[in-house]
Amino acid sequence: MRLRAWRLVSAACMVAALAPFAQASTGIDCARLAEQDEPESAQAWYERSLWASHCYDFRARAVRIGSDGVRTLALSHEVKDGVERERARFLDGPAVAFEREGRIARPGGLASADARAQAAPPHTLVEHLDSLYRLQLSGADRIAGRASVRLDIEPLDDHRYGHRLWLDAATGLPLKKILLDERGRVLETFQITELHAPGLHRGGIELVSAAPPPDVPWRPGWLPEGFVSQPVAPQGERHPSPRHRIYGDGLSTLSLFVEPLEDRDLLMPGLHRLGVSHAAVLHRELGDRPRQVVAMGELPADVLRRVVESVVWVEDSEGGEMADAPDETTAEQAEPDGDDAR
């Protein structure tokens, strides 16, 4: 059976880094980037890159090299009236375009529902990552005709992938990214080839409250260290799916689906390769019904397999199962990526 790939994008993984620049919890002040001295540590460079990705207007050309070959893209990012607008359009191969418009979720930290996490002082995203990855500077380079700083991000365990980042020395914008598997092999390279005069947005960017995911009668019994449930889209923008959850460690994410088997095009149980991502599919009895459990993400295959095997059924607060209403997103509705299931 053919499995359509799911490209994971979760802005929630970055929201905790916004806290130092919050304006009375209503927005962020991008103009403060211009007042900062050049970062001296790997952690400071990474935090600056997160800010830069939100606060700079730019247009760019880029190339992505992965298992499906080489593809070129046109990218743009702008902030208008406190709202971000991002666009990405492939310039070769199948005509595919992505667009995102919206306000940034209010920083709520990466703390889970665990009481100890709630009692602890709020941590920035970078501080959270520092307990899971080794961040270090690895010299300077020249990318897209611009001076850049290389940042190596090495996982401290074998439950996640490594990253190499080249950040623009003038702005902090990412110019090149390399994803490495658990053996250090290159899985994907993304590189800016032309960056057209990035300009710092001098105003603020609004923050809105992110809604917690609704209660579900299931949960993963195991997740890699540092992975916590991510907030859903801000209230009013999208109704969260009762069958879909996203978990992240601040850099890596995984999507978890638990769906009834009835009246559905089933995915073949086992492991599937989706470009640089994997999907683990398992059919199990959960809540006295047969269900399909799917975990997808840019993570080692064994990690995703362990997650789907660990899912347990728990009664919700009212002692019953959530209604099986139609979802907005299911495992079968993922974006095509051109790779067949193995």
Side-chain angles (χ1 to χ4, degrees):
M1 169 178 187
R2 187 175 180 79
L3 180 65
R4 293 182 287 173
W6 174 257
R7 183 66 63 184
L8 296 169
V9 178
S10 176
C13 293
M14 296 184 179
V15 298
L18 304 180
F21 289 77
Q23 303 176 29
S25 299
T26 62
I28 59 174
D29 183 6
C30 290
R32 292 189 60 181
L33 275 176
E35 303 170 3
Q36 287 188 314
D37 295 329
E38 181 175 298
E40 297 182 355
S41 68
Q43 291 79 3
W45 269 109
Y46 187 70
E47 186 164 349
R48 183 175 177 85
S49 76
L50 297 179
W51 280 97
S53 296
H54 289 297
C55 287
Y56 274 91
D57 295 335
F58 65 86
R59 292 180 297 110
R61 291 288 188 270
V63 61
R64 181 174 70 86
I65 306 172
S67 60
D68 57 345
V70 179
R71 299 195 68 182
T72 54
L73 304 93
L75 309 172
S76 67
H77 179 273
E78 64 178 349
V79 182
K80 186 176 181 180
D81 298 328
V83 178
E84 286 189 90
R85 293 176 175 86
E86 294 178 327
R87 297 178 179 87
R89 177 169 53 91
F90 283 101
L91 301 178
D92 47 24
V96 180
F98 304 92
E99 186 167 343
R100 184 185 72 84
E101 178 175 330
R103 292 171 171 82
I104 304 172
R106 187 183 310 278
L110 280 165
S112 68
D114 182 81
R116 293 170 299 175
Q118 290 182 334
H123 294 289
T124 66
L125 171 60
V126 175
E127 290 171 335
H128 181 81
L129 290 177
D130 213 26
S131 66
L132 306 171
Y133 299 85
R134 180 180 298 106
L135 284 71
Q136 58 185 10
L137 295 174
S138 298
D141 209 335
R142 187 167 177 266
I143 305 293
R146 303 176 67 92
S148 68
V149 175
R150 174 175 159 175
L151 177 61
D152 291 352
I153 305 177
E154 303 283 353
L156 298 180
D157 57 32
D158 57 0
H159 294 154
R160 60 206 92 217
Y161 288 156
H163 301 255
R164 300 283 183 271
L165 298 179
W166 284 258
L167 306 178
D168 182 31
T171 65
L173 286 168
L175 297 177
K176 182 178 179 180
K177 302 179 183 180
I178 291 180
L179 182 67
L180 304 170
D181 70 8
E182 64 271 35
R183 298 182 182 180
R185 298 173 298 190
V186 175
L187 293 174
E188 183 178 67
T189 298
F190 180 90
Q191 180 172 328
I192 299 291
T193 57
E194 295 180 62
L195 181 64
H196 299 282
L200 181 63
H201 173 66
R202 294 285 176 168
I205 299 179
E206 291 185 39
L207 301 180
V208 294
S209 296
D215 290 336
V216 293
W218 53 267
R219 62 176 175 80
W222 177 86
L223 289 169
E225 180 183 355
F227 272 73
V228 296
S229 179
Q230 300 298 297
V232 298
Q235 294 279 15
E237 289 192 8
R238 184 181 182 217
H239 181 70
S241 165
R243 297 170 179 167
H244 179 210
R245 288 291 173 274
I246 296 177
Y247 301 89
D249 67 359
L251 190 61
S252 302
T253 60
L254 69 87
S255 262
L256 184 61
F257 298 85
V258 178
E259 309 169 307
L261 291 182
E262 295 90 340
D263 302 323
R264 290 186 175 273
D265 294 330
L266 301 184
L267 305 178
M268 184 178 296
L271 289 172
H272 305 265
R273 185 65 180 264
L274 313 171
V276 298
S277 301
H278 288 94
V281 181
L282 193 62
H283 295 169
R284 299 180 51 194
E285 286 284 335
L286 290 171
D288 298 324
R289 293 180 63 181
R291 300 178 193 271
Q292 177 170 266
V293 184
V294 182
M296 302 181 182
E298 293 179 356
L299 293 165
D302 288 344
V303 169
L304 297 174
R305 181 195 292 113
R306 186 172 174 183
V307 170
V308 296
E309 291 175 347
S310 76
V311 171
V312 295
W313 193 262
V314 292
E315 294 297 328
D316 62 19
S317 58
E318 297 181 357
E321 179 182 347
M322 296 186 65
D324 289 322
D327 292 345
E328 294 186 33
T329 306
T330 69
E332 293 88 346
Q333 294 172 329
E335 300 246 0
D337 201 30
D339 292 305
D340 289 54
R342 292 189 302 180

